[in-house]
Amino acid sequence: MDKMKVHNLNVIYNKNKILKDINLDFEVGNIYGIIGANGSGKSTLLNALTQLINYTGDIKIGDIDIKNMNSKTRARKISYMRQNITPRFNLNVEEYISASRYPYNDKENLISSKSSMIKYMEICELNGFKDKNILNLSGGELQRVNYCKVLSQGADIILIDEGFSNLDIYFQIKFKKYLKDVIRKDNKIIIMVIHDINFALNYFDELIVIKNGMLYDKGSTVKVITSEMIRDVFNVESNIVENYIDFSFEEGE
């Protein structure tokens, strides 16, 4: 598997530049966090990485621009769990998850597709839900189903937009650990938008900070997360002590 390279990425919407001259490298075997204030362009960056929106610039996996990949090839490379997905179809859980395997649904891959679904439904503890209508799931149940769907897709690069918001503590711990294990075992890339700065401080290999659509900083969590950055990006005062951030909840000057 090859790394993902983003060069001179710009996104314009209604004549406004939402992302401006973003340059990033995502290395195999790393898990990346994207942080920034609301409206800074974090989700827009993920949408661009999976070709959901128009952009200028280059996004390559190895030497191949993702614009030159057909939809099935791209789906084998990149999977995306968007924030607050609202199902629109009257499907049961198993049918909904099976849609993730469309890049492999030929005679050669039918057996592996089924075994992949079974594996991830067990990991996400969904076997008792497979016949349940997705329109009748709670927020936490649906988030588990969407984790199962994005993992079942089997892509090399996994994008997750705020993936823990509806999970209880048990499943938060389970999925955080499992994603780390996936990176180590299968040499994938995970890129995740996150709002919990204390979680970001102690979890990711590297952090990317977006401010007003521009790349503010990138690097190790120790390098990136400083009281100065938190004040400048989030307008909040803080004190970082032993890998924990104590927020004063007073606006910065």
Side-chain angles (χ1 to χ4, degrees), residues 1 5 9 25 27 77 80 86 118 122 136-137 144 161 177 191 204 210 216 220 231 238 240 252:
M1 178 190 158
K5 297 173 286 186
L9 177 67
D25 285 353
E27 300 286 347
K77 294 291 185 181
Y80 183 21
T86 303
I118 292 170
E122 289 176 355
N136 297 327
L137 299 177
R144 284 160 55 195
D161 193 350
K177 182 180 183 303
I191 307 167
F204 296 99
I210 304 294
Y216 177 90
S220 68
R231 181 187 307 116
S238 63
I240 302 173

Side-chain angles (χ1 to χ4, degrees), residues 1 4 18 40 45 50 66 84 117 165 167 215 236:
M1 178 190 158
M4 174 180 268
I18 309 301
S40 59
L45 176 56
T50 195
I66 64 172
N84 298 324
M117 276 185 53
S165 56
L167 297 176
L215 182 62
V236 173

Side-chain angles (χ1 to χ4, degrees), residues 204-223:
F204 296 99
D205 296 306
E206 291 194 22
L207 280 178
I208 296 155
V209 185
I210 304 294
K211 181 181 179 183
N212 297 328
M214 294 182 286
L215 182 62
Y216 177 90
D217 201 1
K218 61 180 177 179
S220 68
T221 57
V222 173
K223 169 185 175 290

